[in-house]
mmCIF file of all heavy atoms in Angstrom:
data_model
loop_
_atom_site.group_PDB
_atom_site.id
_atom_site.type_symbol
_atom_site.label_atom_id
_atom_site.label_comp_id
_atom_site.label_asym_id
_atom_site.label_seq_id
_atom_site.Cartn_x
_atom_site.Cartn_y
_atom_site.Cartn_z
ATOM 1 N N LYS A 3 98.202 84.764 109.388
ATOM 2 C CA LYS A 3 98.004 85.875 108.453
ATOM 3 C C LYS A 3 97.364 85.317 107.194
ATOM 4 O O LYS A 3 97.411 84.131 106.938
ATOM 5 C CB LYS A 3 99.326 86.545 108.119
ATOM 6 C CG LYS A 3 100.013 87.164 109.307
ATOM 7 C CD LYS A 3 101.387 87.692 108.932
ATOM 8 C CE LYS A 3 102.093 88.279 110.106
ATOM 9 N NZ LYS A 3 102.615 87.296 111.033
ATOM 10 N N ARG A 4 96.754 86.216 106.426
ATOM 11 C CA ARG A 4 96.092 85.772 105.201
ATOM 12 C C ARG A 4 96.339 86.743 104.069
ATOM 13 O O ARG A 4 96.542 87.932 104.297
ATOM 14 C CB ARG A 4 94.589 85.668 105.432
ATOM 15 C CG ARG A 4 94.196 84.620 106.451
ATOM 16 C CD ARG A 4 92.727 84.588 106.641
ATOM 17 N NE ARG A 4 92.087 84.357 105.340
ATOM 18 C CZ ARG A 4 90.990 83.677 105.166
ATOM 19 N NH1 ARG A 4 90.379 83.174 106.190
ATOM 20 N NH2 ARG A 4 90.480 83.520 103.976
ATOM 21 N N LYS A 5 96.319 86.219 102.860
ATOM 22 C CA LYS A 5 96.353 87.081 101.691
ATOM 23 C C LYS A 5 95.042 87.857 101.689
ATOM 24 O O LYS A 5 94.038 87.320 102.125
ATOM 25 C CB LYS A 5 96.458 86.268 100.397
ATOM 26 C CG LYS A 5 97.702 85.438 100.266
ATOM 27 C CD LYS A 5 97.711 84.648 98.960
ATOM 28 C CE LYS A 5 96.686 83.553 98.999
ATOM 29 N NZ LYS A 5 96.649 82.665 97.859
ATOM 30 N N PRO A 6 94.987 89.047 101.271
ATOM 31 C CA PRO A 6 96.001 89.810 100.566
ATOM 32 C C PRO A 6 96.864 90.699 101.455
ATOM 33 O O PRO A 6 97.568 91.566 100.940
ATOM 34 C CB PRO A 6 95.174 90.653 99.602
ATOM 35 C CG PRO A 6 93.941 90.959 100.368
ATOM 36 C CD PRO A 6 93.675 89.710 101.184
ATOM 37 N N ASP A 7 96.843 90.513 102.772
ATOM 38 C CA ASP A 7 97.679 91.347 103.646
ATOM 39 C C ASP A 7 99.152 91.206 103.274
ATOM 40 O O ASP A 7 99.665 90.094 103.145
ATOM 41 C CB ASP A 7 97.498 90.965 105.114
ATOM 42 C CG ASP A 7 96.116 91.284 105.652
ATOM 43 O OD1 ASP A 7 95.443 92.153 105.054
ATOM 44 O OD2 ASP A 7 95.712 90.671 106.646
ATOM 45 N N ALA A 8 99.812 92.323 103.123
ATOM 46 C CA ALA A 8 101.233 92.325 102.751
ATOM 47 C C ALA A 8 102.077 91.584 103.788
ATOM 48 O O ALA A 8 103.110 91.011 103.451
ATOM 49 C CB ALA A 8 101.731 93.752 102.575
ATOM 50 N N ALA A 9 101.619 91.557 105.022
ATOM 51 C CA ALA A 9 102.380 90.912 106.101
ATOM 52 C C ALA A 9 102.641 89.441 105.816
ATOM 53 O O ALA A 9 103.704 88.914 106.172
ATOM 54 C CB ALA A 9 101.650 91.063 107.432
ATOM 55 N N ILE A 10 101.720 88.751 105.164
ATOM 56 C CA ILE A 10 101.936 87.336 104.871
ATOM 57 C C ILE A 10 103.061 87.157 103.859
ATOM 58 O O ILE A 10 103.884 86.250 103.968
ATOM 59 C CB ILE A 10 100.647 86.626 104.390
ATOM 60 C CG1 ILE A 10 100.856 85.114 104.288
ATOM 61 C CG2 ILE A 10 100.159 87.151 103.059
ATOM 62 C CD1 ILE A 10 101.181 84.419 105.565
ATOM 63 N N PHE A 11 103.122 88.047 102.875
ATOM 64 C CA PHE A 11 104.196 87.963 101.885
ATOM 65 C C PHE A 11 105.544 88.267 102.534
ATOM 66 O O PHE A 11 106.536 87.590 102.262
ATOM 67 C CB PHE A 11 103.928 88.918 100.715
ATOM 68 C CG PHE A 11 102.687 88.561 99.951
ATOM 69 C CD1 PHE A 11 101.528 89.300 100.074
ATOM 70 C CD2 PHE A 11 102.675 87.463 99.103
ATOM 71 C CE1 PHE A 11 100.380 88.967 99.366
ATOM 72 C CE2 PHE A 11 101.536 87.107 98.381
ATOM 73 C CZ PHE A 11 100.385 87.865 98.528
ATOM 74 N N GLU A 12 105.566 89.256 103.403
ATOM 75 C CA GLU A 12 106.802 89.597 104.128
ATOM 76 C C GLU A 12 107.258 88.432 104.994
ATOM 77 O O GLU A 12 108.448 88.121 105.056
ATOM 78 C CB GLU A 12 106.601 90.853 104.978
ATOM 79 C CG GLU A 12 106.329 92.113 104.184
ATOM 80 C CD GLU A 12 107.518 92.585 103.355
ATOM 81 O OE1 GLU A 12 108.645 92.088 103.524
ATOM 82 O OE2 GLU A 12 107.293 93.483 102.510
ATOM 83 N N GLN A 13 106.325 87.772 105.663
ATOM 84 C CA GLN A 13 106.669 86.643 106.528
ATOM 85 C C GLN A 13 107.229 85.478 105.722
ATOM 86 O O GLN A 13 108.235 84.877 106.112
ATOM 87 C CB GLN A 13 105.442 86.187 107.316
ATOM 88 C CG GLN A 13 105.751 85.062 108.285
ATOM 89 C CD GLN A 13 104.553 84.683 109.147
ATOM 90 O OE1 GLN A 13 103.588 85.421 109.249
ATOM 91 N NE2 GLN A 13 104.631 83.521 109.757
ATOM 92 N N VAL A 14 106.613 85.156 104.610
ATOM 93 C CA VAL A 14 107.096 84.053 103.766
ATOM 94 C C VAL A 14 108.502 84.356 103.247
ATOM 95 O O VAL A 14 109.379 83.487 103.261
ATOM 96 C CB VAL A 14 106.122 83.776 102.606
ATOM 97 C CG1 VAL A 14 106.738 82.839 101.578
ATOM 98 C CG2 VAL A 14 104.819 83.200 103.136
ATOM 99 N N LEU A 15 108.718 85.590 102.821
ATOM 100 C CA LEU A 15 110.054 85.977 102.348
ATOM 101 C C LEU A 15 111.096 85.818 103.458
ATOM 102 O O LEU A 15 112.161 85.238 103.242
ATOM 103 C CB LEU A 15 110.047 87.435 101.862
ATOM 104 C CG LEU A 15 109.300 87.719 100.566
ATOM 105 C CD1 LEU A 15 109.144 89.228 100.368
ATOM 106 C CD2 LEU A 15 109.989 87.084 99.378
ATOM 107 N N ARG A 22 113.126 89.060 97.334
ATOM 108 C CA ARG A 22 111.848 89.443 96.712
ATOM 109 C C ARG A 22 111.986 89.695 95.214
ATOM 110 O O ARG A 22 111.043 89.472 94.471
ATOM 111 C CB ARG A 22 111.220 90.631 97.439
ATOM 112 C CG ARG A 22 111.979 91.920 97.326
ATOM 113 C CD ARG A 22 111.427 93.035 98.231
ATOM 114 N NE ARG A 22 111.678 92.735 99.623
ATOM 115 C CZ ARG A 22 110.705 92.566 100.531
ATOM 116 N NH1 ARG A 22 109.459 92.733 100.220
ATOM 117 N NH2 ARG A 22 111.008 92.264 101.773
ATOM 118 N N GLU A 36 98.197 92.270 93.381
ATOM 119 C CA GLU A 36 98.508 93.668 93.694
ATOM 120 C C GLU A 36 99.233 93.787 95.031
ATOM 121 O O GLU A 36 100.180 94.561 95.170
ATOM 122 C CB GLU A 36 97.233 94.504 93.688
ATOM 123 C CG GLU A 36 96.674 94.701 92.299
ATOM 124 C CD GLU A 36 95.289 95.327 92.274
ATOM 125 O OE1 GLU A 36 94.642 95.427 93.345
ATOM 126 O OE2 GLU A 36 94.852 95.719 91.174
ATOM 127 N N SER A 37 98.812 93.027 96.017
ATOM 128 C CA SER A 37 99.446 93.073 97.336
ATOM 129 C C SER A 37 100.885 92.554 97.272
ATOM 130 O O SER A 37 101.802 93.175 97.830
ATOM 131 C CB SER A 37 98.631 92.252 98.332
ATOM 132 O OG SER A 37 99.205 92.309 99.608
ATOM 133 N N ALA A 38 101.090 91.437 96.613
ATOM 134 C CA ALA A 38 102.443 90.882 96.472
ATOM 135 C C ALA A 38 103.332 91.844 95.701
ATOM 136 O O ALA A 38 104.494 92.058 96.048
ATOM 137 C CB ALA A 38 102.388 89.530 95.775
ATOM 138 N N LYS A 40 103.145 95.055 95.569
ATOM 139 C CA LYS A 40 103.496 96.202 96.415
ATOM 140 C C LYS A 40 104.673 95.899 97.337
ATOM 141 O O LYS A 40 105.371 96.810 97.765
ATOM 142 C CB LYS A 40 102.291 96.642 97.244
ATOM 143 C CG LYS A 40 101.238 97.354 96.428
ATOM 144 C CD LYS A 40 100.047 97.734 97.277
ATOM 145 C CE LYS A 40 98.956 98.351 96.418
ATOM 146 N NZ LYS A 40 97.725 98.597 97.184
ATOM 147 N N THR A 41 104.897 94.619 97.633
ATOM 148 C CA THR A 41 106.021 94.241 98.489
ATOM 149 C C THR A 41 107.303 94.029 97.687
ATOM 150 O O THR A 41 108.337 93.700 98.252
ATOM 151 C CB THR A 41 105.710 92.964 99.300
ATOM 152 O OG1 THR A 41 105.583 91.870 98.410
ATOM 153 C CG2 THR A 41 104.469 93.114 100.141
ATOM 154 N N ILE A 43 107.623 91.779 95.186
ATOM 155 C CA ILE A 43 107.693 90.428 94.638
ATOM 156 C C ILE A 43 107.238 90.479 93.179
ATOM 157 O O ILE A 43 106.292 91.179 92.840
ATOM 158 C CB ILE A 43 106.772 89.475 95.438
ATOM 159 C CG1 ILE A 43 107.258 89.371 96.889
ATOM 160 C CG2 ILE A 43 106.697 88.100 94.791
ATOM 161 C CD1 ILE A 43 106.300 88.616 97.796
#
Side-chain angles (χ1 to χ4, degrees):
K3 298 174 181 75
R4 296 179 56 146
K5 298 179 290 184
D7 293 338
I10 188 62
F11 296 106
E12 295 292 348
Q13 183 176 344
V14 169
L15 289 169
R22 67 188 69 241
E36 289 170 349
S37 181
K40 287 178 184 174
T41 66
I43 297 172

